[in-house]
Amino acid sequence: MPTTLFPPSVHVSQHPCLQAKLSQLRSKDTNARDTKALVHEIALILGCEALATGLRTESSGTTVPSPPVPTPIHHLGLFREPTTLQPVEYYNNLPYHATRPTDDADDHLAILVDPIIATGGTAVAAIQTLREWGVSRILLLAVLGSESGVRRAAAEWEAGVQVWVGGVDGGLDARGMIRPGVGDVGDRLFLTRGK
């Protein structure tokens, strides 16, 4: 899908290796082990693309730029309730208040990883939570998204969110699954289909 259809804050990867891996992930014959490896490899390529443009580097007196000071890692867990398709938060270990040691925007950057952006509901809920917590910018990375879900996530906070996706598919079915999509990635990763 052409990236010109999206606002400038949405980036659809054109990396040929990522696209080849996404094609393999779409195969119904890909087993759980290979699904996990492909999701990891796609996320790694996408993360490199996003961070290459989403972070600033500082010279530390050597010829190699150094990344920003490492920041704490927190977990915000959400899932989509299958009947209502509404997001449900099951885990949140964000400290009570975000710390603001400096005025540098990179100190307030959140990297949000959502394997699939289907309806966009869980991504929007996570963006709202992180924004209320005090982050200044969000890089949202997803292996695959639906056109409407990606648009919804990007529109939630236009000035603060950059969306990076490995690929975009056109629509959703009645169950909120991307079509053609990759199936239920959670079921494919953890063999929970039918449980």
Side-chain angles (χ1 to χ4, degrees), residues 99-108:
T99 57
R100 296 200 177 256
T102 69
D103 291 329
D104 187 354
D106 281 340
D107 286 342
H108 312 295

Side-chain angles (χ1 to χ4, degrees), residues 47 59 70 127:
S59 177
I127 290 166

Side-chain angles (χ1 to χ4, degrees), residues 35-114:
T35 296
K36 183 176 182 175
L38 288 165
V39 167
H40 173 79
E41 291 163 2
I42 292 167
L44 182 62
I45 294 168
L46 190 63
C48 288
E49 287 183 315
L51 293 173
T53 60
L55 290 179
R56 295 186 316 241
T57 57
E58 299 172 2
S59 177
S60 61
T62 65
T63 57
V64 179
S66 62
V69 176
T71 58
I73 297 173
H74 303 292
H75 182 85
L76 178 61
L78 296 146
F79 70 90
R80 184 177 70 178
E81 200 284 322
T83 307
T84 65
L85 305 181
Q86 294 302 305
V88 176
E89 184 178 293
Y90 67 87
Y91 187 78
N92 182 339
N93 80 340
L94 296 172
Y96 184 66
H97 292 290
T99 57
R100 296 200 177 256
T102 69
D103 291 329
D104 187 354
D106 281 340
D107 286 342
H108 312 295
L109 169 69
I111 300 171
L112 179 59
V113 181
D114 191 352

